[in-house]
Amino acid sequence: MNSVSVRALLVRGMLAGLVAGVLAMLVSYFLGESKVDAAIAIEEAGAHAAAAGHAHEHAEEVVSRALQSTAGLATGVVLYGVALGGIAALVFCFVLGRIGRFGARATAALVTAGAFVAVTLVPFFKYPANPPAVGDPDTAGKRTVLYLLMIALSVLLSAGAVILGRRLAPGLGNWNASVAAGVFFVAAISLAYAFLPAVNEVPADFPATLIWQFRLASLAIQATLWAAFGVVFGILAERVLEPAPAVPAGTSAGDSAATAA
């Protein structure tokens, strides 16, 4: 693939990421923000109860909650979508033609599905998202490192599984090689789950329903982001790699269709 095609696909990947980010932002606003507000209310109620009867100075918010849930949310999610779209487009350029004889849309769908599993689902099952008021502020750095480590392990093991499947395919056949690679991935991820430390800092009195709803909303946001990117980028990539045949000058579209028939 030449540099012009890579550049064109990178731009279209970022554009698809922009569209996906806008859709994910809407899902986040309508599904997730109410859960965040509920968690913040619980946190503030606990803080007020702890400070009852004691004079204390209330720290003024640097950024208002209204701004966080609108402009801040839109900026963060959309920029995240654009960056993710660019990275996914580069991965698409690398794997195109190396994982089988798939077209642009099918390759985009496979890359998107694999990225969703490796970057979102696998880390989520080990370290699920938690709303505000859940988690010790003193361990925030440690929890972030563990989450990023889980993502890195998942991505590396996914790449290893793909390589293993490709190498086993000539001897075992595509189906058996894919099964073997899948078993390897599940086994390796299970070991990572077992050896990485668990994090359980949910307060005993925190509503379990709210945590469950927040985590489902987080998963819905990520699913929307990846699904929208896969669909939009697949269409855009196909137009770059498989352009429609040009219609000769002086020939109408109807005449061209009739000739093709």
Side-chain angles (χ1 to χ4, degrees), residues 10-49:
L10 175 60
V11 172
R12 282 156 179 79
M14 296 175 71
L15 179 60
L18 174 64
V19 175
V22 171
L23 293 176
M25 184 269 295
L26 293 175
V27 174
S28 177
Y29 182 79
F30 288 108
L31 289 185
E33 286 304 303
S34 61
K35 312 302 183 296
V36 174
D37 289 338
I40 291 175
I42 293 174
E43 182 180 32
E44 290 179 346
H48 291 160

PDB file of all heavy atoms in Angstrom, residues 10-49:
ATOM      1  N   LEU A  10      -5.857   7.297   6.736  1.00  0.00           N
ATOM      2  CA  LEU A  10      -5.677   7.915   8.057  1.00  0.00           C
ATOM      3  C   LEU A  10      -6.658   9.075   8.241  1.00  0.00           C
ATOM      4  O   LEU A  10      -7.308   9.199   9.294  1.00  0.00           O
ATOM      5  CB  LEU A  10      -4.240   8.403   8.213  1.00  0.00           C
ATOM      6  CG  LEU A  10      -3.916   9.175   9.496  1.00  0.00           C
ATOM      7  CD1 LEU A  10      -4.173   8.318  10.725  1.00  0.00           C
ATOM      8  CD2 LEU A  10      -2.476   9.673   9.481  1.00  0.00           C
ATOM      9  N   VAL A  11      -6.771   9.916   7.211  1.00  0.00           N
ATOM     10  CA  VAL A  11      -7.706  11.041   7.290  1.00  0.00           C
ATOM     11  C   VAL A  11      -9.138  10.543   7.441  1.00  0.00           C
ATOM     12  O   VAL A  11      -9.919  11.058   8.259  1.00  0.00           O
ATOM     13  CB  VAL A  11      -7.570  11.930   6.034  1.00  0.00           C
ATOM     14  CG1 VAL A  11      -8.682  12.984   6.006  1.00  0.00           C
ATOM     15  CG2 VAL A  11      -6.205  12.601   5.998  1.00  0.00           C
ATOM     16  N   ARG A  12      -9.486   9.515   6.683  1.00  0.00           N
ATOM     17  CA  ARG A  12     -10.846   8.986   6.763  1.00  0.00           C
ATOM     18  C   ARG A  12     -11.102   8.262   8.084  1.00  0.00           C
ATOM     19  O   ARG A  12     -12.219   8.249   8.586  1.00  0.00           O
ATOM     20  CB  ARG A  12     -11.109   8.080   5.569  1.00  0.00           C
ATOM     21  CG  ARG A  12     -11.390   8.876   4.304  1.00  0.00           C
ATOM     22  CD  ARG A  12     -11.078   8.094   3.033  1.00  0.00           C
ATOM     23  NE  ARG A  12     -11.387   8.911   1.856  1.00  0.00           N
ATOM     24  CZ  ARG A  12     -10.592   9.883   1.395  1.00  0.00           C
ATOM     25  NH1 ARG A  12      -9.452  10.173   2.034  1.00  0.00           N
ATOM     26  NH2 ARG A  12     -10.922  10.574   0.318  1.00  0.00           N
ATOM     27  N   GLY A  13     -10.049   7.660   8.632  1.00  0.00           N
ATOM     28  CA  GLY A  13     -10.190   7.047   9.948  1.00  0.00           C
ATOM     29  C   GLY A  13     -10.481   8.087  11.017  1.00  0.00           C
ATOM     30  O   GLY A  13     -11.326   7.883  11.895  1.00  0.00           O
ATOM     31  N   MET A  14      -9.793   9.219  10.938  1.00  0.00           N
ATOM     32  CA  MET A  14     -10.044  10.293  11.906  1.00  0.00           C
ATOM     33  C   MET A  14     -11.434  10.898  11.708  1.00  0.00           C
ATOM     34  O   MET A  14     -12.109  11.253  12.672  1.00  0.00           O
ATOM     35  CB  MET A  14      -8.960  11.358  11.774  1.00  0.00           C
ATOM     36  CG  MET A  14      -7.564  10.850  12.123  1.00  0.00           C
ATOM     37  SD  MET A  14      -6.246  12.041  11.833  1.00  0.00           S
ATOM     38  CE  MET A  14      -6.576  13.219  13.140  1.00  0.00           C
ATOM     39  N   LEU A  15     -11.857  10.997  10.436  1.00  0.00           N
ATOM     40  CA  LEU A  15     -13.204  11.500  10.163  1.00  0.00           C
ATOM     41  C   LEU A  15     -14.260  10.542  10.710  1.00  0.00           C
ATOM     42  O   LEU A  15     -15.250  10.968  11.334  1.00  0.00           O
ATOM     43  CB  LEU A  15     -13.391  11.694   8.658  1.00  0.00           C
ATOM     44  CG  LEU A  15     -14.766  12.194   8.197  1.00  0.00           C
ATOM     45  CD1 LEU A  15     -15.075  13.542   8.818  1.00  0.00           C
ATOM     46  CD2 LEU A  15     -14.819  12.278   6.675  1.00  0.00           C
ATOM     47  N   ALA A  16     -14.046   9.234  10.492  1.00  0.00           N
ATOM     48  CA  ALA A  16     -14.972   8.242  11.039  1.00  0.00           C
ATOM     49  C   ALA A  16     -14.963   8.277  12.562  1.00  0.00           C
ATOM     50  O   ALA A  16     -16.002   8.116  13.215  1.00  0.00           O
ATOM     51  CB  ALA A  16     -14.598   6.844  10.534  1.00  0.00           C
ATOM     52  N   GLY A  17     -13.781   8.499  13.144  1.00  0.00           N
ATOM     53  CA  GLY A  17     -13.690   8.633  14.594  1.00  0.00           C
ATOM     54  C   GLY A  17     -14.436   9.849  15.103  1.00  0.00           C
ATOM     55  O   GLY A  17     -15.022   9.819  16.195  1.00  0.00           O
ATOM     56  N   LEU A  18     -14.428  10.926  14.313  1.00  0.00           N
ATOM     57  CA  LEU A  18     -15.181  12.119  14.680  1.00  0.00           C
ATOM     58  C   LEU A  18     -16.675  11.827  14.727  1.00  0.00           C
ATOM     59  O   LEU A  18     -17.376  12.185  15.694  1.00  0.00           O
ATOM     60  CB  LEU A  18     -14.887  13.237  13.683  1.00  0.00           C
ATOM     61  CG  LEU A  18     -15.696  14.530  13.836  1.00  0.00           C
ATOM     62  CD1 LEU A  18     -15.385  15.200  15.168  1.00  0.00           C
ATOM     63  CD2 LEU A  18     -15.407  15.478  12.680  1.00  0.00           C
ATOM     64  N   VAL A  19     -17.184  11.161  13.686  1.00  0.00           N
ATOM     65  CA  VAL A  19     -18.606  10.802  13.648  1.00  0.00           C
ATOM     66  C   VAL A  19     -18.943   9.868  14.812  1.00  0.00           C
ATOM     67  O   VAL A  19     -19.955  10.047  15.515  1.00  0.00           O
ATOM     68  CB  VAL A  19     -18.966  10.138  12.307  1.00  0.00           C
ATOM     69  CG1 VAL A  19     -20.413   9.658  12.305  1.00  0.00           C
ATOM     70  CG2 VAL A  19     -18.737  11.114  11.159  1.00  0.00           C
ATOM     71  N   ALA A  20     -18.089   8.864  15.024  1.00  0.00           N
ATOM     72  CA  ALA A  20     -18.326   7.916  16.116  1.00  0.00           C
ATOM     73  C   ALA A  20     -18.276   8.610  17.469  1.00  0.00           C
ATOM     74  O   ALA A  20     -19.056   8.287  18.376  1.00  0.00           O
ATOM     75  CB  ALA A  20     -17.290   6.791  16.056  1.00  0.00           C
ATOM     76  N   GLY A  21     -17.366   9.573  17.618  1.00  0.00           N
ATOM     77  CA  GLY A  21     -17.266  10.306  18.873  1.00  0.00           C
ATOM     78  C   GLY A  21     -18.515  11.121  19.170  1.00  0.00           C
ATOM     79  O   GLY A  21     -18.959  11.200  20.317  1.00  0.00           O
ATOM     80  N   VAL A  22     -19.095  11.730  18.137  1.00  0.00           N
ATOM     81  CA  VAL A  22     -20.328  12.509  18.330  1.00  0.00           C
ATOM     82  C   VAL A  22     -21.463  11.587  18.781  1.00  0.00           C
ATOM     83  O   VAL A  22     -22.217  11.909  19.715  1.00  0.00           O
ATOM     84  CB  VAL A  22     -20.713  13.240  17.029  1.00  0.00           C
ATOM     85  CG1 VAL A  22     -22.099  13.857  17.149  1.00  0.00           C
ATOM     86  CG2 VAL A  22     -19.679  14.318  16.709  1.00  0.00           C
ATOM     87  N   LEU A  23     -21.596  10.418  18.130  1.00  0.00           N
ATOM     88  CA  LEU A  23     -22.652   9.480  18.515  1.00  0.00           C
ATOM     89  C   LEU A  23     -22.425   8.951  19.933  1.00  0.00           C
ATOM     90  O   LEU A  23     -23.363   8.829  20.729  1.00  0.00           O
ATOM     91  CB  LEU A  23     -22.705   8.325  17.519  1.00  0.00           C
ATOM     92  CG  LEU A  23     -23.151   8.689  16.099  1.00  0.00           C
ATOM     93  CD1 LEU A  23     -23.066   7.470  15.188  1.00  0.00           C
ATOM     94  CD2 LEU A  23     -24.562   9.258  16.095  1.00  0.00           C
ATOM     95  N   ALA A  24     -21.164   8.638  20.258  1.00  0.00           N
ATOM     96  CA  ALA A  24     -20.853   8.155  21.608  1.00  0.00           C
ATOM     97  C   ALA A  24     -21.114   9.233  22.644  1.00  0.00           C
ATOM     98  O   ALA A  24     -21.559   8.943  23.767  1.00  0.00           O
ATOM     99  CB  ALA A  24     -19.394   7.701  21.675  1.00  0.00           C
ATOM    100  N   MET A  25     -20.857  10.488  22.284  1.00  0.00           N
ATOM    101  CA  MET A  25     -21.127  11.597  23.203  1.00  0.00           C
ATOM    102  C   MET A  25     -22.622  11.702  23.511  1.00  0.00           C
ATOM    103  O   MET A  25     -23.019  11.933  24.654  1.00  0.00           O
ATOM    104  CB  MET A  25     -20.619  12.905  22.599  1.00  0.00           C
ATOM    105  CG  MET A  25     -20.765  14.121  23.493  1.00  0.00           C
ATOM    106  SD  MET A  25     -22.329  14.998  23.260  1.00  0.00           S
ATOM    107  CE  MET A  25     -22.153  15.566  21.569  1.00  0.00           C
ATOM    108  N   LEU A  26     -23.463  11.509  22.485  1.00  0.00           N
ATOM    109  CA  LEU A  26     -24.908  11.567  22.699  1.00  0.00           C
ATOM    110  C   LEU A  26     -25.365  10.440  23.622  1.00  0.00           C
ATOM    111  O   LEU A  26     -26.181  10.644  24.523  1.00  0.00           O
ATOM    112  CB  LEU A  26     -25.630  11.481  21.356  1.00  0.00           C
ATOM    113  CG  LEU A  26     -25.439  12.671  20.415  1.00  0.00           C
ATOM    114  CD1 LEU A  26     -26.105  12.407  19.075  1.00  0.00           C
ATOM    115  CD2 LEU A  26     -25.994  13.947  21.038  1.00  0.00           C
ATOM    116  N   VAL A  27     -24.815   9.233  23.401  1.00  0.00           N
ATOM    117  CA  VAL A  27     -25.160   8.109  24.278  1.00  0.00           C
ATOM    118  C   VAL A  27     -24.694   8.391  25.701  1.00  0.00           C
ATOM    119  O   VAL A  27     -25.413   8.129  26.673  1.00  0.00           O
ATOM    120  CB  VAL A  27     -24.532   6.800  23.749  1.00  0.00           C
ATOM    121  CG1 VAL A  27     -24.754   5.652  24.730  1.00  0.00           C
ATOM    122  CG2 VAL A  27     -25.129   6.436  22.396  1.00  0.00           C
ATOM    123  N   SER A  28     -23.499   8.949  25.825  1.00  0.00           N
ATOM    124  CA  SER A  28     -22.970   9.264  27.152  1.00  0.00           C
ATOM    125  C   SER A  28     -23.830  10.307  27.853  1.00  0.00           C
ATOM    126  O   SER A  28     -24.097  10.196  29.060  1.00  0.00           O
ATOM    127  CB  SER A  28     -21.531   9.780  27.015  1.00  0.00           C
ATOM    128  OG  SER A  28     -21.016  10.146  28.275  1.00  0.00           O
ATOM    129  N   TYR A  29     -24.286  11.297  27.108  1.00  0.00           N
ATOM    130  CA  TYR A  29     -25.080  12.364  27.716  1.00  0.00           C
ATOM    131  C   TYR A  29     -26.428  11.845  28.202  1.00  0.00           C
ATOM    132  O   TYR A  29     -26.865  12.159  29.312  1.00  0.00           O
ATOM    133  CB  TYR A  29     -25.286  13.496  26.710  1.00  0.00           C
ATOM    134  CG  TYR A  29     -26.058  14.665  27.274  1.00  0.00           C
ATOM    135  CD1 TYR A  29     -25.435  15.598  28.096  1.00  0.00           C
ATOM    136  CD2 TYR A  29     -27.413  14.820  26.993  1.00  0.00           C
ATOM    137  CE1 TYR A  29     -26.147  16.666  28.625  1.00  0.00           C
ATOM    138  CE2 TYR A  29     -28.124  15.885  27.518  1.00  0.00           C
ATOM    139  CZ  TYR A  29     -27.494  16.806  28.333  1.00  0.00           C
ATOM    140  OH  TYR A  29     -28.207  17.845  28.869  1.00  0.00           O
ATOM    141  N   PHE A  30     -27.082  11.024  27.375  1.00  0.00           N
ATOM    142  CA  PHE A  30     -28.433  10.574  27.717  1.00  0.00           C
ATOM    143  C   PHE A  30     -28.443   9.354  28.648  1.00  0.00           C
ATOM    144  O   PHE A  30     -29.398   9.159  29.397  1.00  0.00           O
ATOM    145  CB  PHE A  30     -29.225  10.257  26.441  1.00  0.00           C
ATOM    146  CG  PHE A  30     -29.616  11.484  25.666  1.00  0.00           C
ATOM    147  CD1 PHE A  30     -28.994  11.781  24.466  1.00  0.00           C
ATOM    148  CD2 PHE A  30     -30.575  12.353  26.148  1.00  0.00           C
ATOM    149  CE1 PHE A  30     -29.345  12.910  23.739  1.00  0.00           C
ATOM    150  CE2 PHE A  30     -30.930  13.486  25.435  1.00  0.00           C
ATOM    151  CZ  PHE A  30     -30.311  13.768  24.226  1.00  0.00           C
ATOM    152  N   LEU A  31     -27.394   8.528  28.608  1.00  0.00           N
ATOM    153  CA  LEU A  31     -27.381   7.326  29.445  1.00  0.00           C
ATOM    154  C   LEU A  31     -26.469   7.454  30.659  1.00  0.00           C
ATOM    155  O   LEU A  31     -26.793   6.936  31.735  1.00  0.00           O
ATOM    156  CB  LEU A  31     -26.943   6.109  28.617  1.00  0.00           C
ATOM    157  CG  LEU A  31     -27.899   5.571  27.567  1.00  0.00           C
ATOM    158  CD1 LEU A  31     -27.334   4.299  26.942  1.00  0.00           C
ATOM    159  CD2 LEU A  31     -29.272   5.289  28.167  1.00  0.00           C
ATOM    160  N   GLY A  32     -25.340   8.109  30.480  1.00  0.00           N
ATOM    161  CA  GLY A  32     -24.340   8.101  31.539  1.00  0.00           C
ATOM    162  C   GLY A  32     -24.373   9.250  32.509  1.00  0.00           C
ATOM    163  O   GLY A  32     -24.084   9.084  33.705  1.00  0.00           O
ATOM    164  N   GLU A  33     -24.742  10.444  32.036  1.00  0.00           N
ATOM    165  CA  GLU A  33     -24.642  11.621  32.894  1.00  0.00           C
ATOM    166  C   GLU A  33     -25.579  11.566  34.094  1.00  0.00           C
ATOM    167  O   GLU A  33     -25.254  12.055  35.174  1.00  0.00           O
ATOM    168  CB  GLU A  33     -24.899  12.882  32.072  1.00  0.00           C
ATOM    169  CG  GLU A  33     -23.745  13.257  31.163  1.00  0.00           C
ATOM    170  CD  GLU A  33     -22.449  13.433  31.922  1.00  0.00           C
ATOM    171  OE1 GLU A  33     -22.401  14.257  32.849  1.00  0.00           O
ATOM    172  OE2 GLU A  33     -21.483  12.724  31.589  1.00  0.00           O
ATOM    173  N   SER A  34     -26.751  10.993  33.915  1.00  0.00           N
ATOM    174  CA  SER A  34     -27.671  10.890  35.059  1.00  0.00           C
ATOM    175  C   SER A  34     -27.091   9.994  36.144  1.00  0.00           C
ATOM    176  O   SER A  34     -27.289  10.246  37.351  1.00  0.00           O
ATOM    177  CB  SER A  34     -29.027  10.341  34.591  1.00  0.00           C
ATOM    178  OG  SER A  34     -28.884   9.048  34.026  1.00  0.00           O
ATOM    179  N   LYS A  35     -26.353   8.952  35.745  1.00  0.00           N
ATOM    180  CA  LYS A  35     -25.725   8.058  36.723  1.00  0.00           C
ATOM    181  C   LYS A  35     -24.584   8.781  37.445  1.00  0.00           C
ATOM    182  O   LYS A  35     -24.371   8.601  38.650  1.00  0.00           O
ATOM    183  CB  LYS A  35     -25.197   6.799  36.031  1.00  0.00           C
ATOM    184  CG  LYS A  35     -26.180   6.126  35.084  1.00  0.00           C
ATOM    185  CD  LYS A  35     -27.460   5.730  35.766  1.00  0.00           C
ATOM    186  CE  LYS A  35     -28.416   5.003  34.833  1.00  0.00           C
ATOM    187  NZ  LYS A  35     -28.912   5.806  33.703  1.00  0.00           N
ATOM    188  N   VAL A  36     -23.851   9.608  36.705  1.00  0.00           N
ATOM    189  CA  VAL A  36     -22.779  10.387  37.326  1.00  0.00           C
ATOM    190  C   VAL A  36     -23.357  11.374  38.331  1.00  0.00           C
ATOM    191  O   VAL A  36     -22.839  11.529  39.446  1.00  0.00           O
ATOM    192  CB  VAL A  36     -21.968  11.126  36.245  1.00  0.00           C
ATOM    193  CG1 VAL A  36     -20.947  12.067  36.893  1.00  0.00           C
ATOM    194  CG2 VAL A  36     -21.255  10.130  35.341  1.00  0.00           C
ATOM    195  N   ASP A  37     -24.447  12.047  37.956  1.00  0.00           N
ATOM    196  CA  ASP A  37     -25.086  12.993  38.879  1.00  0.00           C
ATOM    197  C   ASP A  37     -25.562  12.302  40.154  1.00  0.00           C
ATOM    198  O   ASP A  37     -25.417  12.838  41.256  1.00  0.00           O
ATOM    199  CB  ASP A  37     -26.271  13.672  38.184  1.00  0.00           C
ATOM    200  CG  ASP A  37     -25.828  14.657  37.111  1.00  0.00           C
ATOM    201  OD1 ASP A  37     -24.680  15.121  37.193  1.00  0.00           O
ATOM    202  OD2 ASP A  37     -26.620  14.925  36.191  1.00  0.00           O
ATOM    203  N   ALA A  38     -26.133  11.096  39.986  1.00  0.00           N
ATOM    204  CA  ALA A  38     -26.611  10.352  41.155  1.00  0.00           C
ATOM    205  C   ALA A  38     -25.451   9.975  42.076  1.00  0.00           C
ATOM    206  O   ALA A  38     -25.550  10.063  43.301  1.00  0.00           O
ATOM    207  CB  ALA A  38     -27.371   9.104  40.716  1.00  0.00           C
ATOM    208  N   ALA A  39     -24.329   9.565  41.483  1.00  0.00           N
ATOM    209  CA  ALA A  39     -23.164   9.194  42.286  1.00  0.00           C
ATOM    210  C   ALA A  39     -22.573  10.405  43.001  1.00  0.00           C
ATOM    211  O   ALA A  39     -22.160  10.325  44.162  1.00  0.00           O
ATOM    212  CB  ALA A  39     -22.108   8.534  41.395  1.00  0.00           C
ATOM    213  N   ILE A  40     -22.529  11.547  42.307  1.00  0.00           N
ATOM    214  CA  ILE A  40     -22.019  12.768  42.931  1.00  0.00           C
ATOM    215  C   ILE A  40     -22.909  13.192  44.089  1.00  0.00           C
ATOM    216  O   ILE A  40     -22.423  13.646  45.145  1.00  0.00           O
ATOM    217  CB  ILE A  40     -21.911  13.893  41.881  1.00  0.00           C
ATOM    218  CG1 ILE A  40     -20.797  13.566  40.888  1.00  0.00           C
ATOM    219  CG2 ILE A  40     -21.653  15.238  42.551  1.00  0.00           C
ATOM    220  CD1 ILE A  40     -20.685  14.554  39.744  1.00  0.00           C
ATOM    221  N   ALA A  41     -24.221  13.042  43.920  1.00  0.00           N
ATOM    222  CA  ALA A  41     -25.148  13.384  45.003  1.00  0.00           C
ATOM    223  C   ALA A  41     -24.905  12.509  46.231  1.00  0.00           C
ATOM    224  O   ALA A  41     -24.932  12.999  47.373  1.00  0.00           O
ATOM    225  CB  ALA A  41     -26.585  13.218  44.515  1.00  0.00           C
ATOM    226  N   ILE A  42     -24.636  11.236  46.013  1.00  0.00           N
ATOM    227  CA  ILE A  42     -24.339  10.333  47.129  1.00  0.00           C
ATOM    228  C   ILE A  42     -23.037  10.738  47.810  1.00  0.00           C
ATOM    229  O   ILE A  42     -22.925  10.762  49.041  1.00  0.00           O
ATOM    230  CB  ILE A  42     -24.266   8.882  46.630  1.00  0.00           C
ATOM    231  CG1 ILE A  42     -25.644   8.414  46.167  1.00  0.00           C
ATOM    232  CG2 ILE A  42     -23.728   7.953  47.715  1.00  0.00           C
ATOM    233  CD1 ILE A  42     -25.638   7.044  45.515  1.00  0.00           C
ATOM    234  N   GLU A  43     -22.044  11.090  47.009  1.00  0.00           N
ATOM    235  CA  GLU A  43     -20.754  11.502  47.559  1.00  0.00           C
ATOM    236  C   GLU A  43     -20.900  12.783  48.381  1.00  0.00           C
ATOM    237  O   GLU A  43     -20.346  12.888  49.485  1.00  0.00           O
ATOM    238  CB  GLU A  43     -19.761  11.719  46.416  1.00  0.00           C
ATOM    239  CG  GLU A  43     -18.362  12.098  46.874  1.00  0.00           C
ATOM    240  CD  GLU A  43     -17.421  12.298  45.709  1.00  0.00           C
ATOM    241  OE1 GLU A  43     -17.878  12.733  44.641  1.00  0.00           O
ATOM    242  OE2 GLU A  43     -16.217  12.020  45.864  1.00  0.00           O
ATOM    243  N   GLU A  44     -21.637  13.736  47.865  1.00  0.00           N
ATOM    244  CA  GLU A  44     -21.813  14.998  48.585  1.00  0.00           C
ATOM    245  C   GLU A  44     -22.626  14.804  49.857  1.00  0.00           C
ATOM    246  O   GLU A  44     -22.345  15.435  50.887  1.00  0.00           O
ATOM    247  CB  GLU A  44     -22.500  16.015  47.663  1.00  0.00           C
ATOM    248  CG  GLU A  44     -21.608  16.488  46.522  1.00  0.00           C
ATOM    249  CD  GLU A  44     -22.321  17.476  45.620  1.00  0.00           C
ATOM    250  OE1 GLU A  44     -23.574  17.581  45.728  1.00  0.00           O
ATOM    251  OE2 GLU A  44     -21.633  18.132  44.821  1.00  0.00           O
ATOM    252  N   ALA A  45     -23.631  13.925  49.791  1.00  0.00           N
ATOM    253  CA  ALA A  45     -24.413  13.649  50.994  1.00  0.00           C
ATOM    254  C   ALA A  45     -23.539  13.042  52.084  1.00  0.00           C
ATOM    255  O   ALA A  45     -23.641  13.389  53.263  1.00  0.00           O
ATOM    256  CB  ALA A  45     -25.569  12.712  50.661  1.00  0.00           C
ATOM    257  N   GLY A  46     -22.639  12.142  51.697  1.00  0.00           N
ATOM    258  CA  GLY A  46     -21.729  11.546  52.667  1.00  0.00           C
ATOM    259  C   GLY A  46     -20.767  12.566  53.234  1.00  0.00           C
ATOM    260  O   GLY A  46     -20.469  12.554  54.435  1.00  0.00           O
ATOM    261  N   ALA A  47     -20.280  13.471  52.379  1.00  0.00           N
ATOM    262  CA  ALA A  47     -19.357  14.500  52.853  1.00  0.00           C
ATOM    263  C   ALA A  47     -20.044  15.456  53.814  1.00  0.00           C
ATOM    264  O   ALA A  47     -19.477  15.858  54.834  1.00  0.00           O
ATOM    265  CB  ALA A  47     -18.779  15.261  51.661  1.00  0.00           C
ATOM    266  N   HIS A  48     -21.294  15.822  53.510  1.00  0.00           N
ATOM    267  CA  HIS A  48     -22.027  16.722  54.397  1.00  0.00           C
ATOM    268  C   HIS A  48     -22.326  16.064  55.739  1.00  0.00           C
ATOM    269  O   HIS A  48     -22.267  16.699  56.790  1.00  0.00           O
ATOM    270  CB  HIS A  48     -23.328  17.161  53.721  1.00  0.00           C
ATOM    271  CG  HIS A  48     -23.105  18.054  52.540  1.00  0.00           C
ATOM    272  ND1 HIS A  48     -24.051  18.240  51.564  1.00  0.00           N
ATOM    273  CD2 HIS A  48     -22.021  18.794  52.177  1.00  0.00           C
ATOM    274  CE1 HIS A  48     -23.575  19.072  50.656  1.00  0.00           C
ATOM    275  NE2 HIS A  48     -22.347  19.419  50.998  1.00  0.00           N
ATOM    276  N   ALA A  49     -22.639  14.770  55.686  1.00  0.00           N
ATOM    277  CA  ALA A  49     -22.922  14.062  56.932  1.00  0.00           C
ATOM    278  C   ALA A  49     -21.676  13.970  57.804  1.00  0.00           C
ATOM    279  O   ALA A  49     -21.741  14.100  59.027  1.00  0.00           O
ATOM    280  CB  ALA A  49     -23.448  12.662  56.620  1.00  0.00           C
TER     281      ALA A  49
END
